[in-house]
Amino acid sequence: MRLLGIAVMVCIGYGIWHAAIGGKRVSDAQVRELYQQYWEAFDRGDAKAVCDLFSDQVHGRFSSTARSMPVTETLDKATACASVGQFHETKQRLEERVGKALYTNFEYTIKSIEISPDRKTATVEVATGMRIGTEQGALLDMRSEQTDVVKSSFGKAQFVQSDGTVSFFR
């Protein structure tokens, strides 16, 4: 019985340590998995899954070159969550205009991952591309260069900041 009490105390101690320290450490593998989850959920139109990958406190700024004058937009959780629906609505409108189903192509390249010395955050430089089009070519071609900050809480990595530029080529 005494051994059971010690085992329970060890488990409780480990749980407290994990919640306070261990679960807040971010790793290279977590960061890579986070991006994989993001793009897979975005591609299938799963707004809830995408939304869950962003911290409630996520913030950021993006400058867009879609128009003749750059436009700066702010990022928060509501904006991040809405982006999935907006992208798929845009695709649907394009399909209606051209009269057929369109292909989507999502790609990302992680240029660098810098994990802080205390392992609580990772700063990630990433290039992304989203294209909608036909076999003949893209109707919408959007690319971004961005710097994201990722944190882990209870072993789950989330985006907490994202800043970058977005360029439209069609």
Side-chain angles (χ1 to χ4, degrees), residues 45-88:
D46 189 343
K48 182 183 178 336
V50 168
C51 199
D52 289 344
L53 300 175
F54 288 88
S55 163
D56 290 340
Q57 293 80 31
V58 68
H59 63 281
R61 299 180 70 77
F62 277 84
S63 178
S64 170
T65 61
R67 300 173 188 101
S68 60
M69 292 179 41
V71 175
T72 300
E73 297 181 24
T74 59
L75 171 75
D76 59 15
K77 186 157 183 161
T79 305
C81 295
S83 67
V84 178
Q86 291 170 346
F87 180 82
H88 287 278

mmCIF file of all heavy atoms in Angstrom, residues 45-88:
data_model
loop_
_atom_site.group_PDB
_atom_site.id
_atom_site.type_symbol
_atom_site.label_atom_id
_atom_site.label_comp_id
_atom_site.label_asym_id
_atom_site.label_seq_id
_atom_site.Cartn_x
_atom_site.Cartn_y
_atom_site.Cartn_z
ATOM 1 N N GLY A 45 -10.498 22.187 -45.913
ATOM 2 C CA GLY A 45 -11.529 23.157 -45.531
ATOM 3 C C GLY A 45 -12.018 23.002 -44.111
ATOM 4 O O GLY A 45 -13.126 23.420 -43.788
ATOM 5 N N ASP A 46 -11.209 22.451 -43.227
ATOM 6 C CA ASP A 46 -11.580 22.203 -41.835
ATOM 7 C C ASP A 46 -11.232 23.420 -40.979
ATOM 8 O O ASP A 46 -10.164 23.492 -40.366
ATOM 9 C CB ASP A 46 -10.862 20.948 -41.330
ATOM 10 C CG ASP A 46 -11.354 20.485 -39.980
ATOM 11 O OD1 ASP A 46 -12.020 21.275 -39.265
ATOM 12 O OD2 ASP A 46 -11.066 19.334 -39.621
ATOM 13 N N ALA A 47 -12.141 24.389 -40.950
ATOM 14 C CA ALA A 47 -11.894 25.639 -40.234
ATOM 15 C C ALA A 47 -11.663 25.424 -38.747
ATOM 16 O O ALA A 47 -10.828 26.087 -38.141
ATOM 17 C CB ALA A 47 -13.059 26.599 -40.445
ATOM 18 N N LYS A 48 -12.379 24.492 -38.138
ATOM 19 C CA LYS A 48 -12.202 24.244 -36.703
ATOM 20 C C LYS A 48 -10.796 23.732 -36.411
ATOM 21 O O LYS A 48 -10.139 24.190 -35.472
ATOM 22 C CB LYS A 48 -13.234 23.254 -36.175
ATOM 23 C CG LYS A 48 -13.081 23.035 -34.667
ATOM 24 C CD LYS A 48 -14.026 22.017 -34.110
ATOM 25 C CE LYS A 48 -13.876 21.755 -32.643
ATOM 26 N NZ LYS A 48 -12.621 22.032 -32.001
ATOM 27 N N ALA A 49 -10.313 22.806 -37.223
ATOM 28 C CA ALA A 49 -8.964 22.265 -37.014
ATOM 29 C C ALA A 49 -7.915 23.362 -37.200
ATOM 30 O O ALA A 49 -6.954 23.434 -36.433
ATOM 31 C CB ALA A 49 -8.696 21.098 -37.954
ATOM 32 N N VAL A 50 -8.089 24.222 -38.195
ATOM 33 C CA VAL A 50 -7.161 25.333 -38.406
ATOM 34 C C VAL A 50 -7.217 26.274 -37.207
ATOM 35 O O VAL A 50 -6.185 26.684 -36.669
ATOM 36 C CB VAL A 50 -7.475 26.093 -39.714
ATOM 37 C CG1 VAL A 50 -6.716 27.418 -39.779
ATOM 38 C CG2 VAL A 50 -7.152 25.236 -40.920
ATOM 39 N N CYS A 51 -8.415 26.606 -36.786
ATOM 40 C CA CYS A 51 -8.608 27.532 -35.670
ATOM 41 C C CYS A 51 -7.923 27.026 -34.395
ATOM 42 O O CYS A 51 -7.324 27.801 -33.650
ATOM 43 C CB CYS A 51 -10.104 27.717 -35.445
ATOM 44 S SG CYS A 51 -10.518 29.186 -34.512
ATOM 45 N N ASP A 52 -7.977 25.734 -34.156
ATOM 46 C CA ASP A 52 -7.365 25.147 -32.960
ATOM 47 C C ASP A 52 -5.843 25.261 -32.953
ATOM 48 O O ASP A 52 -5.214 25.110 -31.907
ATOM 49 C CB ASP A 52 -7.753 23.672 -32.822
ATOM 50 C CG ASP A 52 -9.211 23.480 -32.434
ATOM 51 O OD1 ASP A 52 -9.845 24.464 -31.987
ATOM 52 O OD2 ASP A 52 -9.712 22.355 -32.581
ATOM 53 N N LEU A 53 -5.238 25.530 -34.096
ATOM 54 C CA LEU A 53 -3.783 25.639 -34.180
ATOM 55 C C LEU A 53 -3.275 27.034 -33.828
ATOM 56 O O LEU A 53 -2.077 27.264 -33.749
ATOM 57 C CB LEU A 53 -3.311 25.257 -35.584
ATOM 58 C CG LEU A 53 -3.661 23.830 -36.018
ATOM 59 C CD1 LEU A 53 -3.262 23.608 -37.463
ATOM 60 C CD2 LEU A 53 -3.010 22.806 -35.106
ATOM 61 N N PHE A 54 -4.204 27.970 -33.587
ATOM 62 C CA PHE A 54 -3.851 29.338 -33.227
ATOM 63 C C PHE A 54 -4.188 29.603 -31.765
ATOM 64 O O PHE A 54 -5.262 29.254 -31.292
ATOM 65 C CB PHE A 54 -4.604 30.341 -34.112
ATOM 66 C CG PHE A 54 -4.105 30.369 -35.520
ATOM 67 C CD1 PHE A 54 -4.615 29.506 -36.479
ATOM 68 C CD2 PHE A 54 -3.113 31.256 -35.897
ATOM 69 C CE1 PHE A 54 -4.143 29.515 -37.779
ATOM 70 C CE2 PHE A 54 -2.636 31.278 -37.195
ATOM 71 C CZ PHE A 54 -3.148 30.404 -38.140
ATOM 72 N N SER A 55 -3.270 30.250 -31.078
ATOM 73 C CA SER A 55 -3.489 30.664 -29.699
ATOM 74 C C SER A 55 -4.614 31.692 -29.661
ATOM 75 O O SER A 55 -4.818 32.436 -30.627
ATOM 76 C CB SER A 55 -2.202 31.273 -29.143
ATOM 77 O OG SER A 55 -2.442 32.022 -27.981
ATOM 78 N N ASP A 56 -5.318 31.773 -28.554
ATOM 79 C CA ASP A 56 -6.349 32.805 -28.403
ATOM 80 C C ASP A 56 -5.744 34.206 -28.482
ATOM 81 O O ASP A 56 -6.425 35.155 -28.834
ATOM 82 C CB ASP A 56 -7.096 32.639 -27.076
ATOM 83 C CG ASP A 56 -7.987 31.411 -27.063
ATOM 84 O OD1 ASP A 56 -8.338 30.901 -28.150
ATOM 85 O OD2 ASP A 56 -8.342 30.948 -25.957
ATOM 86 N N GLN A 57 -4.471 34.329 -28.157
ATOM 87 C CA GLN A 57 -3.798 35.631 -28.164
ATOM 88 C C GLN A 57 -2.995 35.879 -29.447
ATOM 89 O O GLN A 57 -2.192 36.807 -29.498
ATOM 90 C CB GLN A 57 -2.833 35.744 -26.968
ATOM 91 C CG GLN A 57 -3.517 35.781 -25.618
ATOM 92 C CD GLN A 57 -3.935 34.406 -25.121
ATOM 93 O OE1 GLN A 57 -3.292 33.408 -25.417
ATOM 94 N NE2 GLN A 57 -5.025 34.349 -24.393
ATOM 95 N N VAL A 58 -3.175 35.077 -30.478
ATOM 96 C CA VAL A 58 -2.391 35.236 -31.702
ATOM 97 C C VAL A 58 -2.566 36.651 -32.254
ATOM 98 O O VAL A 58 -3.646 37.241 -32.171
ATOM 99 C CB VAL A 58 -2.764 34.179 -32.776
ATOM 100 C CG1 VAL A 58 -4.164 34.393 -33.316
ATOM 101 C CG2 VAL A 58 -1.735 34.153 -33.895
ATOM 102 N N HIS A 59 -1.472 37.187 -32.776
ATOM 103 C CA HIS A 59 -1.509 38.515 -33.385
ATOM 104 C C HIS A 59 -0.447 38.588 -34.473
ATOM 105 O O HIS A 59 0.459 37.763 -34.524
ATOM 106 C CB HIS A 59 -1.278 39.605 -32.328
ATOM 107 C CG HIS A 59 0.067 39.522 -31.677
ATOM 108 N ND1 HIS A 59 0.350 38.612 -30.673
ATOM 109 C CD2 HIS A 59 1.222 40.189 -31.901
ATOM 110 C CE1 HIS A 59 1.607 38.742 -30.300
ATOM 111 N NE2 HIS A 59 2.163 39.696 -31.034
ATOM 112 N N GLY A 60 -0.600 39.583 -35.326
ATOM 113 C CA GLY A 60 0.377 39.763 -36.384
ATOM 114 C C GLY A 60 -0.068 40.811 -37.379
ATOM 115 O O GLY A 60 -1.156 41.373 -37.270
ATOM 116 N N ARG A 61 0.812 41.071 -38.346
ATOM 117 C CA ARG A 61 0.535 42.047 -39.389
ATOM 118 C C ARG A 61 1.033 41.495 -40.711
ATOM 119 O O ARG A 61 2.119 40.922 -40.785
ATOM 120 C CB ARG A 61 1.229 43.367 -39.087
ATOM 121 C CG ARG A 61 0.767 44.006 -37.794
ATOM 122 C CD ARG A 61 1.469 45.321 -37.516
ATOM 123 N NE ARG A 61 1.068 46.390 -38.412
ATOM 124 C CZ ARG A 61 -0.063 47.088 -38.341
ATOM 125 N NH1 ARG A 61 -0.923 46.805 -37.414
ATOM 126 N NH2 ARG A 61 -0.327 48.058 -39.185
ATOM 127 N N PHE A 62 0.220 41.680 -41.749
ATOM 128 C CA PHE A 62 0.596 41.273 -43.100
ATOM 129 C C PHE A 62 0.421 42.445 -44.035
ATOM 130 O O PHE A 62 -0.585 43.142 -43.993
ATOM 131 C CB PHE A 62 -0.270 40.095 -43.571
ATOM 132 C CG PHE A 62 0.230 38.775 -43.097
ATOM 133 C CD1 PHE A 62 -0.110 38.308 -41.841
ATOM 134 C CD2 PHE A 62 1.063 38.006 -43.893
ATOM 135 C CE1 PHE A 62 0.361 37.093 -41.382
ATOM 136 C CE2 PHE A 62 1.543 36.795 -43.443
ATOM 137 C CZ PHE A 62 1.194 36.339 -42.194
ATOM 138 N N SER A 63 1.398 42.622 -44.887
ATOM 139 C CA SER A 63 1.335 43.632 -45.922
ATOM 140 C C SER A 63 1.047 42.905 -47.230
ATOM 141 O O SER A 63 1.700 41.918 -47.549
ATOM 142 C CB SER A 63 2.664 44.379 -46.002
ATOM 143 O OG SER A 63 2.626 45.326 -47.046
ATOM 144 N N SER A 64 0.063 43.407 -47.973
ATOM 145 C CA SER A 64 -0.359 42.756 -49.208
ATOM 146 C C SER A 64 -0.025 43.640 -50.405
ATOM 147 O O SER A 64 -0.190 44.854 -50.348
ATOM 148 C CB SER A 64 -1.866 42.513 -49.162
ATOM 149 O OG SER A 64 -2.335 42.088 -50.413
ATOM 150 N N THR A 65 0.421 43.003 -51.477
ATOM 151 C CA THR A 65 0.708 43.733 -52.712
ATOM 152 C C THR A 65 -0.352 43.438 -53.772
ATOM 153 O O THR A 65 -0.062 43.467 -54.956
ATOM 154 C CB THR A 65 2.107 43.360 -53.244
ATOM 155 O OG1 THR A 65 2.119 41.952 -53.516
ATOM 156 C CG2 THR A 65 3.190 43.727 -52.270
ATOM 157 N N ALA A 66 -1.568 43.176 -53.327
ATOM 158 C CA ALA A 66 -2.633 42.828 -54.264
ATOM 159 C C ALA A 66 -3.079 44.019 -55.090
ATOM 160 O O ALA A 66 -3.559 43.866 -56.192
ATOM 161 C CB ALA A 66 -3.830 42.259 -53.512
ATOM 162 N N ARG A 67 -2.939 45.171 -54.569
ATOM 163 C CA ARG A 67 -3.391 46.366 -55.267
ATOM 164 C C ARG A 67 -2.175 47.217 -55.620
ATOM 165 O O ARG A 67 -1.045 46.906 -55.267
ATOM 166 C CB ARG A 67 -4.351 47.121 -54.356
ATOM 167 C CG ARG A 67 -5.553 46.266 -53.993
ATOM 168 C CD ARG A 67 -6.414 46.962 -52.939
ATOM 169 N NE ARG A 67 -7.438 46.030 -52.492
ATOM 170 C CZ ARG A 67 -7.382 45.349 -51.364
ATOM 171 N NH1 ARG A 67 -6.374 45.490 -50.550
ATOM 172 N NH2 ARG A 67 -8.349 44.529 -51.028
ATOM 173 N N SER A 68 -2.427 48.348 -56.269
ATOM 174 C CA SER A 68 -1.311 49.214 -56.645
ATOM 175 C C SER A 68 -0.616 49.804 -55.423
ATOM 176 O O SER A 68 0.559 50.122 -55.463
ATOM 177 C CB SER A 68 -1.790 50.327 -57.579
ATOM 178 O OG SER A 68 -2.777 51.104 -56.927
ATOM 179 N N MET A 69 -1.362 49.954 -54.330
ATOM 180 C CA MET A 69 -0.762 50.437 -53.085
ATOM 181 C C MET A 69 -0.809 49.306 -52.056
ATOM 182 O O MET A 69 -1.827 48.633 -51.922
ATOM 183 C CB MET A 69 -1.535 51.649 -52.553
ATOM 184 C CG MET A 69 -1.396 52.861 -53.430
ATOM 185 S SD MET A 69 -2.311 54.310 -52.863
ATOM 186 C CE MET A 69 -2.081 54.308 -51.127
ATOM 187 N N PRO A 70 0.275 49.086 -51.330
ATOM 188 C CA PRO A 70 0.271 48.027 -50.317
ATOM 189 C C PRO A 70 -0.800 48.276 -49.248
ATOM 190 O O PRO A 70 -1.065 49.416 -48.876
ATOM 191 C CB PRO A 70 1.669 48.094 -49.703
ATOM 192 C CG PRO A 70 2.499 48.840 -50.681
ATOM 193 C CD PRO A 70 1.568 49.752 -51.420
ATOM 194 N N VAL A 71 -1.391 47.195 -48.785
ATOM 195 C CA VAL A 71 -2.401 47.254 -47.739
ATOM 196 C C VAL A 71 -1.888 46.427 -46.564
ATOM 197 O O VAL A 71 -1.427 45.305 -46.760
ATOM 198 C CB VAL A 71 -3.752 46.683 -48.243
ATOM 199 C CG1 VAL A 71 -4.765 46.630 -47.122
ATOM 200 C CG2 VAL A 71 -4.265 47.489 -49.414
ATOM 201 N N THR A 72 -1.961 46.991 -45.375
ATOM 202 C CA THR A 72 -1.535 46.256 -44.187
ATOM 203 C C THR A 72 -2.769 45.808 -43.425
ATOM 204 O O THR A 72 -3.684 46.598 -43.178
ATOM 205 C CB THR A 72 -0.635 47.137 -43.289
ATOM 206 O OG1 THR A 72 0.509 47.513 -44.056
ATOM 207 C CG2 THR A 72 -0.188 46.369 -42.065
ATOM 208 N N GLU A 73 -2.803 44.533 -43.100
ATOM 209 C CA GLU A 73 -3.914 43.961 -42.343
ATOM 210 C C GLU A 73 -3.377 43.341 -41.075
ATOM 211 O O GLU A 73 -2.264 42.842 -41.034
ATOM 212 C CB GLU A 73 -4.627 42.906 -43.182
ATOM 213 C CG GLU A 73 -5.250 43.468 -44.441
ATOM 214 C CD GLU A 73 -5.982 42.418 -45.252
ATOM 215 O OE1 GLU A 73 -6.408 41.403 -44.669
ATOM 216 O OE2 GLU A 73 -6.119 42.616 -46.464
ATOM 217 N N THR A 74 -4.202 43.372 -40.032
ATOM 218 C CA THR A 74 -3.803 42.756 -38.773
ATOM 219 C C THR A 74 -4.376 41.352 -38.694
ATOM 220 O O THR A 74 -5.392 41.040 -39.315
ATOM 221 C CB THR A 74 -4.279 43.575 -37.556
ATOM 222 O OG1 THR A 74 -5.704 43.683 -37.605
ATOM 223 C CG2 THR A 74 -3.651 44.956 -37.550
ATOM 224 N N LEU A 75 -3.699 40.517 -37.929
ATOM 225 C CA LEU A 75 -4.102 39.131 -37.740
ATOM 226 C C LEU A 75 -4.477 38.925 -36.289
ATOM 227 O O LEU A 75 -3.767 39.359 -35.386
ATOM 228 C CB LEU A 75 -2.940 38.195 -38.106
ATOM 229 C CG LEU A 75 -3.129 36.719 -37.762
ATOM 230 C CD1 LEU A 75 -4.096 36.076 -38.744
ATOM 231 C CD2 LEU A 75 -1.807 35.997 -37.769
ATOM 232 N N ASP A 76 -5.618 38.307 -36.073
ATOM 233 C CA ASP A 76 -6.016 37.837 -34.749
ATOM 234 C C ASP A 76 -6.664 36.466 -34.940
ATOM 235 O O ASP A 76 -6.721 35.957 -36.056
ATOM 236 C CB ASP A 76 -6.951 38.826 -34.043
ATOM 237 C CG ASP A 76 -8.236 39.105 -34.817
ATOM 238 O OD1 ASP A 76 -8.569 38.350 -35.745
ATOM 239 O OD2 ASP A 76 -8.920 40.088 -34.495
ATOM 240 N N LYS A 77 -7.133 35.860 -33.871
ATOM 241 C CA LYS A 77 -7.670 34.499 -33.985
ATOM 242 C C LYS A 77 -8.890 34.452 -34.905
ATOM 243 O O LYS A 77 -9.014 33.537 -35.725
ATOM 244 C CB LYS A 77 -8.011 33.915 -32.615
ATOM 245 C CG LYS A 77 -8.431 32.449 -32.727
ATOM 246 C CD LYS A 77 -8.259 31.700 -31.474
ATOM 247 C CE LYS A 77 -8.628 30.241 -31.709
ATOM 248 N NZ LYS A 77 -8.097 29.358 -30.717
ATOM 249 N N ALA A 78 -9.766 35.430 -34.806
ATOM 250 C CA ALA A 78 -10.971 35.429 -35.645
ATOM 251 C C ALA A 78 -10.597 35.502 -37.130
ATOM 252 O O ALA A 78 -11.180 34.797 -37.950
ATOM 253 C CB ALA A 78 -11.881 36.588 -35.260
ATOM 254 N N THR A 79 -9.609 36.330 -37.444
ATOM 255 C CA THR A 79 -9.156 36.449 -38.828
ATOM 256 C C THR A 79 -8.541 35.149 -39.321
ATOM 257 O O THR A 79 -8.803 34.699 -40.440
ATOM 258 C CB THR A 79 -8.121 37.592 -38.947
ATOM 259 O OG1 THR A 79 -8.694 38.785 -38.428
ATOM 260 C CG2 THR A 79 -7.698 37.812 -40.378
ATOM 261 N N ALA A 80 -7.710 34.543 -38.468
ATOM 262 C CA ALA A 80 -7.068 33.274 -38.837
ATOM 263 C C ALA A 80 -8.115 32.190 -39.072
ATOM 264 O O ALA A 80 -8.016 31.422 -40.026
ATOM 265 C CB ALA A 80 -6.090 32.843 -37.746
ATOM 266 N N CYS A 81 -9.113 32.139 -38.216
ATOM 267 C CA CYS A 81 -10.157 31.118 -38.345
ATOM 268 C C CYS A 81 -11.008 31.344 -39.596
ATOM 269 O O CYS A 81 -11.407 30.397 -40.264
ATOM 270 C CB CYS A 81 -11.045 31.109 -37.102
ATOM 271 S SG CYS A 81 -10.179 30.623 -35.589
ATOM 272 N N ALA A 82 -11.270 32.607 -39.919
ATOM 273 C CA ALA A 82 -12.113 32.935 -41.070
ATOM 274 C C ALA A 82 -11.396 32.719 -42.406
ATOM 275 O O ALA A 82 -12.052 32.579 -43.439
ATOM 276 C CB ALA A 82 -12.594 34.374 -40.971
ATOM 277 N N SER A 83 -10.081 32.668 -42.390
ATOM 278 C CA SER A 83 -9.330 32.577 -43.649
ATOM 279 C C SER A 83 -9.654 31.315 -44.432
ATOM 280 O O SER A 83 -9.647 31.329 -45.659
ATOM 281 C CB SER A 83 -7.827 32.653 -43.378
ATOM 282 O OG SER A 83 -7.390 31.505 -42.676
ATOM 283 N N VAL A 84 -9.954 30.228 -43.743
ATOM 284 C CA VAL A 84 -10.271 28.971 -44.435
ATOM 285 C C VAL A 84 -11.533 29.134 -45.265
ATOM 286 O O VAL A 84 -11.555 28.826 -46.459
ATOM 287 C CB VAL A 84 -10.444 27.807 -43.429
ATOM 288 C CG1 VAL A 84 -10.828 26.531 -44.145
ATOM 289 C CG2 VAL A 84 -9.182 27.612 -42.617
ATOM 290 N N GLY A 85 -12.581 29.640 -44.641
ATOM 291 C CA GLY A 85 -13.836 29.844 -45.348
ATOM 292 C C GLY A 85 -13.704 30.831 -46.493
ATOM 293 O O GLY A 85 -14.252 30.617 -47.578
ATOM 294 N N GLN A 86 -12.944 31.911 -46.274
ATOM 295 C CA GLN A 86 -12.759 32.913 -47.317
ATOM 296 C C GLN A 86 -12.041 32.323 -48.533
ATOM 297 O O GLN A 86 -12.421 32.588 -49.673
ATOM 298 C CB GLN A 86 -11.973 34.105 -46.770
ATOM 299 C CG GLN A 86 -12.762 34.910 -45.769
ATOM 300 C CD GLN A 86 -11.898 35.934 -45.047
ATOM 301 O OE1 GLN A 86 -10.671 35.885 -45.103
ATOM 302 N NE2 GLN A 86 -12.548 36.859 -44.363
ATOM 303 N N PHE A 87 -11.018 31.521 -48.282
ATOM 304 C CA PHE A 87 -10.291 30.907 -49.381
ATOM 305 C C PHE A 87 -11.205 29.979 -50.181
ATOM 306 O O PHE A 87 -11.251 30.037 -51.411
ATOM 307 C CB PHE A 87 -9.072 30.131 -48.878
ATOM 308 C CG PHE A 87 -8.292 29.486 -49.988
ATOM 309 C CD1 PHE A 87 -7.373 30.217 -50.714
ATOM 310 C CD2 PHE A 87 -8.493 28.154 -50.330
ATOM 311 C CE1 PHE A 87 -6.654 29.635 -51.759
ATOM 312 C CE2 PHE A 87 -7.783 27.565 -51.361
ATOM 313 C CZ PHE A 87 -6.862 28.304 -52.083
ATOM 314 N N HIS A 88 -11.950 29.134 -49.496
ATOM 315 C CA HIS A 88 -12.809 28.176 -50.194
ATOM 316 C C HIS A 88 -13.994 28.860 -50.876
ATOM 317 O O HIS A 88 -14.451 28.404 -51.921
ATOM 318 C CB HIS A 88 -13.228 27.049 -49.241
ATOM 319 C CG HIS A 88 -12.086 26.111 -48.959
ATOM 320 N ND1 HIS A 88 -11.730 25.099 -49.812
ATOM 321 C CD2 HIS A 88 -11.184 26.069 -47.955
ATOM 322 C CE1 HIS A 88 -10.677 24.464 -49.347
ATOM 323 N NE2 HIS A 88 -10.322 25.043 -48.212
#
